[in-house]
Amino acid sequence: MIDSKTKILLIDDSEAINEMNSYFFRQNIENVEILTAKNGKEALAIIENPDSEKLPDLVLLDLKMPVFNGIEFLEYLNSIEFSYKDKLNVILLTTSMNPDDKKRIGEFPFVSNYLIKPLSMKQVKIIISTNL
Amino acid sequence: MSSHFNNPRLNSVELRKLIPIFVSEITEDLNAFEAAFNSADYKFSLEVLHKIKGSALSFGITALEEKAKELLGLIRLEKLQHAFKELISLKLLIRELSEESKKIA
């Protein structure tokens, strides 16, 4: 069981998918805060928010989004320095992984895994046990 | 009565409450796809179809997933007349989903 408040950031351009994934995590973690963003730009605003008490313990990131897609988001994070960087943990969630994207993803040390959509309750349990 | 929404992905009351959000989104996505397709912005139309496919997968709507995949293939192969016919089929399917969603308590 996880005792301290866990913070998870879900990034997907579909509100419906964010809500579904949020439900899966809330079913498996007590005392969790779920934040959602529709694109990389919104996600950065959350991560860079100076008023935030705690940065996300885990980020689930869709690859294909309008307005700053997954790769652009990762490239930006990789290019800047911030104290949280070594603790950043991003899991990609995508419908497909073409070889070029897969190669690009390998360049980012803070991406721990990629999963093919749709996320299932079983996968969420595995994510929690291995990452949180 | 058979419904696209009676599927293993939507196996809880909480998840079924998300159906109106899903339907609203795919309706918007359909409009965006149609506008892009009709203005020959095939790159954007593929992006929108990809989004529809992802939503369909997450909500277990196999018919919609298959239709999106079919259209993705047709547009990539530039079989645009065929794609136009399948666009009509996609519209009918999304209308059907919208009607079904209204019957869900």
Side-chain angles (χ1 to χ4, degrees), chain A residues 23-24 121, chain B residues 5 7-16:
Chain A
Y23 166 78
F24 289 148
M121 189 72 90
Chain B
F5 296 111
N7 70 67
R9 290 285 302 170
L10 300 173
N11 59 1
S12 76
V13 170
E14 289 291 329
L15 287 173
R16 291 175 77 78

Side-chain angles (χ1 to χ4, degrees), chain A residues 28-75:
Chain A
N28 289 284
I29 308 176
E30 284 183 32
N31 199 19
V32 64
E33 182 184 0
I34 307 280
L35 299 169
T36 61
K38 278 191 177 172
N39 53 56
K41 191 176 174 186
E42 283 185 17
L44 277 175
I46 291 170
I47 288 174
E48 292 178 327
N49 181 4
D51 297 329
S52 175
E53 288 178 7
K54 186 187 172 192
L55 291 164
D57 297 289
L58 180 67
V59 177
L60 254 70
L61 173 67
D62 185 19
L63 206 55
K64 296 189 189 298
M65 297 177 289
V67 187
F68 219 48
N69 63 36
I71 296 285
E72 288 167 335
F73 173 75
L74 293 172
E75 282 176 344

